[in-house]
Amino acid sequence: MEEPFFSIMMPAYNAQKYIRLALDSISQQSFADYEVIVVDDGSSDATAAIVQEYAATDSRIKFFQNETNVGCNATRMTALANMSGKYVAFLDSDDIWLPQKLEVFYQVLNKREEGSKGICVHSDAVLIDAEGNDTGCGFQEKFNVRNNPVSGNILEAIVLTNWINMSAAVVDRQTLITAGGFREFNGSGIDDWDMWVRFANFAEFVFIQDRLTLYRVHQGGISSEHNKKQIACAREEVYKNILKLYQKQLSSDVVSKVCYQRAANAVVLGFSWLARKYFFEAWVGNKLNIKALARAITGC
């Protein structure tokens, strides 16, 4: 059987409230050369039954199920191992695509020359609330407040913060595999960022300004002290890995900024001695950063 142009990756966990909307948005695409790989991560609700219902009427939908809950990125790796498309499109089970999403991306990717560098094509998205109402804000407007570059070689920018919307992105499958796929982190909003840092080392990025995805923003407890520390731990692991793998490729200014972020994480975790060390390293990398020197002295 001929490989589909897109393999759509959808991890799902207790997603019965929204997954029909996500699957419907795929079936309504104007471009139809795709397969859908849905992996249920041990849901306790009706997620599996809903997906099986859709798969029974559409052979392009392939359903897999973890025996137990293993986490989002282990689930993504299962999906990656079971797909065959040239390009991987991501759609989380609570997000929605506009009908022209794949068609627009196909027009960009179909012009790509064989053997060229790895690629990620991503677009802007509309932020919707838990009930599906338009919040009046775009993803880039919300998360790319420093106007970081969205196209070309973005490695130096993406190591500092993430503004790539997973549900609004498509990558070539081989580069995703080469980059190591997904690693599990115990922190909200960290896992996809870690993947994008590694992916950016092998690929160029192309940005489409159109808002082709509806990205659902849920109200949660991310601001709690426990979650702040959880996220700080995960971010520290990412930053440590960044310096281990890419420090020689990064400018001294970017390395300084990474050290400053590591110090800020150490403050959240209550490690004042470690914060002082990283603030000092940030100052050494950029002697104009007097704030880093001051915080190296105080450790806060």
Side-chain angles (χ1 to χ4, degrees):
M1 182 180 294
E2 187 175 351
E3 296 178 351
F5 193 84
F6 293 109
S7 287
I8 301 168
M9 178 185 293
M10 183 184 291
Y13 176 67
N14 287 348
Q16 66 177 17
K17 183 175 181 179
Y18 300 118
I19 198 167
R20 286 186 185 275
L21 295 173
L23 292 170
D24 285 343
S25 77
I26 295 174
S27 67
Q28 293 163 6
Q29 290 297 302
S30 58
F31 185 87
D33 186 12
Y34 61 76
E35 64 176 359
V36 187
I37 309 298
V38 183
V39 183
D40 174 53
D41 190 20
S43 295
S44 59
D45 66 0
T47 297
I50 292 171
V51 178
Q52 289 170 326
E53 173 190 326
Y54 278 76
T57 59
D58 189 342
S59 61
R60 294 172 299 179
I61 299 176
K62 300 173 175 62
F63 177 67
F64 300 87
Q65 191 170 28
N66 298 331
E67 292 184 5
T68 60
N69 181 264
V70 299
C72 181
N73 288 299
T75 300
R76 290 189 187 278
M77 290 300 285
T78 297
L80 182 60
N82 286 282
M83 56 180 47
S84 60
K86 186 173 183 179
Y87 296 98
V88 180
F90 307 103
L91 180 60
D92 286 347
S93 58
D94 57 350
D95 294 335
I96 298 169
W97 283 344
L98 297 186
Q100 68 271 31
K101 159 71 185 281
L102 291 183
E103 179 72 37
V104 172
F105 277 57
Y106 170 77
Q107 295 299 331
V108 175
L109 291 165
N110 197 42
K111 298 176 183 177
R112 179 173 176 250
E113 296 181 2
E114 289 293 332
S116 57
K117 191 176 182 179
I119 191 169
C120 167
V121 179
H122 65 117
S123 71
D124 205 349
V126 176
L127 269 58
I128 59 175
D129 64 21
E131 302 308 317
N133 301 306
D134 188 341
T135 66
C137 184
F139 188 90
Q140 290 296 315
E141 177 187 353
K142 175 74 173 180
F143 295 102
N144 192 4
V145 293
R146 295 183 179 178
N147 197 29
N148 290 298
V150 289
S151 294
N153 181 350
I154 68 167
L155 177 61
E156 285 211 335
I158 200 72
V159 300
L160 297 173
T161 186
N162 179 34
W163 65 94
I164 306 294
N165 185 337
M166 183 73 78
S167 287
V170 171
V171 302
D172 68 288
R173 181 164 60 96
Q174 186 53 56
T175 301
L176 180 59
I177 294 171
T178 300
F182 300 88
R183 301 189 303 162
E184 198 73 38
F185 286 93
N186 190 24
S188 176
I190 297 299
D191 312 326
D192 56 343
W193 174 50
D194 169 73
M195 187 279 288
W196 289 127
V197 170
R198 287 180 286 109
F199 191 88
N201 192 51
F202 297 94
E204 65 177 357
F205 286 65
V206 176
F207 180 64
I208 299 171
Q209 291 187 345
D210 298 337
R211 293 176 177 176
L212 302 171
T213 297
L214 306 184
Y215 174 74
R216 199 178 304 273
V217 180
H218 300 275
Q219 296 298 321
I222 292 177
S223 61
S224 71
E225 285 304 311
H226 171 74
N227 282 339
K228 283 181 179 179
K229 290 184 177 182
Q230 192 178 52
I231 292 170
C233 283
R235 291 181 69 86
E236 166 59 16
E237 188 171 346
V238 175
Y239 282 131
K240 182 169 61 177
N241 193 57
I242 285 170
L243 293 182
K244 177 181 178 181
L245 296 177
Y246 311 122
Q247 184 165 354
K248 293 182 179 179
Q249 299 170 235
L250 302 174
S251 68
S252 58
D253 181 58
V254 170
V255 172
S256 173
K257 290 177 179 177
V258 170
C259 291
Y260 194 93
Q261 294 293 341
R262 295 184 77 185
N265 289 334
V267 170
V268 172
L269 295 170
F271 300 142
S272 59
W273 62 272
L274 194 58
R276 286 191 177 96
K277 175 179 182 292
Y278 292 152
F279 280 131
F280 182 76
E281 290 176 0
W283 175 74
V284 169
N286 180 5
K287 296 294 179 58
L288 296 178
N289 192 346
I290 303 303
K291 184 178 180 180
L293 179 60
R295 297 188 73 176
I297 296 171
T298 62
C300 64

